[in-house]
Amino acid sequence: MEKLIAFLLFQLITLLPLTAQTAKQVLDKTAAVVAAKSGVQANFSIKGSNSVSLNTSGKIAVKGRKFHATTPQATIWFDGKTMWTYMKQNDEVNVSNPTEAQLAAINPYNFIYMYKNGYSSSLEKADNSYYVHLQATDKKKNIQEMHIMVKQKSYIPWKITYRTAKGVVSIDISNFKATSLSDGTFRFNSKDFPKAEIIDLR
């Protein structure tokens, strides 16, 4: 009997590495869902603490590294390199090449390009979700810590929290769905805003 129990325990131990997922494996699957070739869209709300003055909600469309976000205050296009931010209040468009932290503040899905380099990761499971914790291994990283909540069955992220030197940002995501988006969705078209002042900050 003791030999049988020992054999079963050995089999269980040897199988664990094959069945237990790591944080990286969960994020790999999440990235595959978010970075669907045709595109995805969702609703989001963002709140910041301390000196991070963020408190808004809106809709976002994502295709690979590209995204298009709309909020009551602004409309943002990012084609993977250049970002156009149209501010409704003063009718102007700021053109920039955003940093990692700026992208994360606007695009809740930017983490799918961050976690592979410069971060250690850990994983917990609770309430039908995976809880992934990312910790920067480089103190120069703009985002030092990030928590990502992912639904276990679908690998759809539903909440993201990250910490910078200025404070903590919390992002809630809902109504996530796959869709078909053209590349033109992610580029600013000046013809649609003929009176807007364009300010190049690059």
Side-chain angles (χ1 to χ4, degrees):
M1 178 64 72
E2 289 180 356
K3 289 183 178 180
L4 177 61
I5 293 173
F7 174 77
L8 291 174
L9 285 173
F10 174 78
Q11 291 296 316
L12 178 62
I13 291 169
T14 55
L15 285 173
L16 280 175
L18 298 177
T19 57
Q21 290 196 88
T22 65
K24 183 181 181 302
Q25 287 172 329
V26 168
L27 291 182
D28 284 345
K29 292 179 180 180
T30 303
V33 171
V34 174
K37 290 183 178 180
S38 60
V40 297
Q41 63 184 30
N43 296 339
F44 69 91
S45 62
I46 298 179
K47 290 184 179 180
S49 66
N50 298 337
S51 58
V52 181
S53 57
L54 283 173
N55 191 352
T56 190
S57 60
K59 296 181 179 181
I60 188 165
V62 178
K63 185 177 180 181
R65 293 193 70 90
K66 306 178 182 72
F67 70 88
H68 175 231
T70 57
T71 72
Q73 299 83 13
T75 303
I76 302 164
W77 301 260
F78 180 66
D79 66 0
K81 179 182 179 181
T82 303
M83 185 167 74
W84 297 265
T85 304
Y86 173 69
M87 305 302 297
K88 297 180 181 179
Q89 184 176 4
N90 49 15
D91 198 20
E92 69 178 30
V93 179
N94 294 321
V95 186
S96 63
N97 293 328
T99 65
E100 178 186 277
Q102 289 172 329
L103 287 174
I106 302 163
N107 179 5
Y109 300 124
N110 194 59
F111 73 87
I112 66 174
Y113 302 105
M114 293 169 46
Y115 73 93
K116 295 181 181 180
N117 295 297
Y119 290 90
S120 61
S121 60
S122 61
L123 177 67
E124 294 181 8
K125 291 193 293 184
D127 301 325
N128 298 316
S129 290
Y130 293 110
Y131 290 75
V132 179
H133 177 223
L134 298 179
Q135 184 71 49
T137 54
D138 182 354
K139 292 183 178 180
K140 294 181 180 180
K141 286 277 188 183
N142 289 322
I143 295 176
Q144 282 294 304
E145 187 178 17
M146 181 174 282
H147 296 268
I148 305 159
M149 291 71 161
V150 179
K151 295 178 182 178
Q152 286 187 29
K153 291 184 178 181
S154 62
Y155 291 93
I156 293 173
W158 59 271
K159 188 177 184 68
I160 300 160
T161 304
Y162 66 88
R163 176 175 59 84
T164 70
K166 294 183 178 180
V168 175
V169 175
S170 179
I171 305 171
D172 291 295
I173 303 166
S174 60
N175 299 324
F176 179 98
K177 64 179 181 180
T179 187
S180 181
L181 301 166
S182 67
D183 289 341
T185 304
F186 311 99
R187 288 192 293 267
F188 170 74
N189 188 342
S190 60
K191 292 181 180 179
D192 295 332
F193 303 87
K195 297 182 179 179
E197 179 184 1
I198 297 177
I199 302 172
D200 197 329
L201 303 174
R202 291 171 292 182

